[in-house]
Amino acid sequence: MRLTLRIWRQSTQDDGQLVDYRLDDVSEDMSFLEMLDVLNEDLILAGEEPVAFDHDCREGICGMCGMMINGVAHGPERATTACQLHMRHFADGATITIEPWRAKPFPVVKDLVVDRSAFDRIIEAGGYVSAPTGSAPDAHAVAVPKPDADTAFESAACIGCGACVAACPNGSAMLFTAAKITHLGVLPQGQPERDSRVLDMVQAHDDLGFGGCTNTGECTAVCPKGIPLSSIGRLNRDLLRASLRPRR
């Protein structure tokens, strides 16, 4: 395959711009990140600066490889991270535009790399459960109804990639926040901090500059793990209940 790659290049000193690169002999069996590796090898051999992009596991688990591909977070395939996207999904001779996440709380570090530490601040605000000292209890010591276990597992699949924020026209991180709140809020172990968790995490979300949710659904459409929009509804119910109850 022969491709034209239109890639956002930005250092910390400038405003950035799209730069075109021609890449020949791309195998359709390559992953998207392997294709970028080949480009970087060519750039290094030519004495040019390679393209900076985040990656780690390359197995669709860590959430590091977030980027906009032709205007879609993680690219054209649903429920697929950029590292699991293969070049067979693109046509020979295509022009592919690659950009970083665009959101105020995700400042660009360099090229396609953004600082997503704002997610860490949301987790720090309340994404935990009580952990009394002593030996670990048996795994079956606390009974969890199957529907609650399924809901918790579904939300726990969130990898914190930030695609929901990048796709949202408001730059909202409500899907991420809802997934973390739902994961703990439906389990018995998460009940002691249930009210304070939702109040503190939503407050941190707003303080960090993320936008408000208007239920456009773009977040769920690009989520590589399929976190449902109903998670945000659960967050809103918990938030309303916690707001009406006295703070413990």
Side-chain angles (χ1 to χ4, degrees):
M1 298 171 63
R2 294 183 177 182
L3 300 171
T4 298
L5 304 178
R6 184 163 294 165
I7 302 178
W8 184 262
R9 303 303 306 266
Q10 178 177 347
S11 68
T12 55
Q13 290 80 30
D14 58 45
D15 294 331
Q17 60 181 335
L18 289 167
V19 179
D20 287 354
Y21 299 97
R22 183 68 181 268
L23 197 59
D24 299 325
D25 299 324
V26 175
S27 170
E28 64 178 12
D29 296 323
M30 287 181 180
S31 72
F32 199 84
L33 298 193
E34 288 173 333
M35 179 272 296
L36 290 179
D37 288 336
V38 171
L39 171 65
N40 279 344
E41 289 174 0
D42 291 347
L43 292 176
I44 291 171
L45 289 175
E48 299 181 37
E49 183 76 14
V51 177
F53 62 94
D54 263 332
H55 64 97
D56 190 8
C57 74
R58 300 201 177 204
E59 295 179 350
I61 299 172
C62 70
M64 292 292 292
C65 61
M67 60 187 73
M68 300 294 287
I69 302 171
N70 287 340
V72 180
H74 288 299
E77 293 298 298
R78 289 182 68 91
T80 304
T81 55
C83 64
Q84 296 288 284
L85 178 66
H86 287 81
M87 299 312 298
R88 68 179 68 96
H89 299 295
F90 299 90
D92 183 26
T95 297
I96 304 175
T97 302
I98 311 171
E99 300 174 90
W101 292 159
R102 303 289 190 182
K104 180 181 178 181
F106 291 166
V108 175
V109 177
K110 185 176 181 181
D111 297 341
L112 305 177
V113 180
V114 299
D115 180 359
R116 287 173 289 183
S117 61
F119 274 3
D120 298 331
R121 307 289 87 77
I122 295 176
I123 294 295
E124 288 172 1
Y128 51 82
V129 298
S130 295
T133 58
S135 61
D138 293 334
H140 62 284
V142 179
V144 180
K146 184 65 164 57
D148 291 345
D150 290 343
T151 299
F153 188 85
E154 180 181 58
S155 296
C158 172
I159 56 177
C161 64
C164 52
V165 178
C168 178
N170 306 321
S172 174
M174 273 301 178
L175 190 67
F176 166 81
T177 307
K180 300 307 177 183
I181 288 174
T182 299
H183 168 212
L184 300 176
V186 299
L187 297 175
Q189 298 89 336
Q191 298 311 304
E193 293 91 7
R194 185 171 179 177
D195 289 349
S196 61
R197 178 183 302 116
V198 67
L199 291 171
D200 293 341
M201 292 182 73
V202 170
Q203 185 63 54
H205 170 282
D206 295 344
D207 291 345
L208 288 163
F210 291 103
C213 175
T214 52
N215 294 318
T216 60
E218 288 295 322
C219 52
T220 59
V222 300
C223 177
K225 298 304 175 182
I227 306 299
L229 197 63
S230 59
S231 297
I232 299 178
R234 185 183 296 273
L235 177 150
N236 288 332
R237 290 193 297 271
D238 279 5
L239 181 62
L240 177 61
R241 185 188 65 178
S243 299
L244 296 175
R245 296 172 66 177
R247 186 78 176 248
R248 289 183 293 178

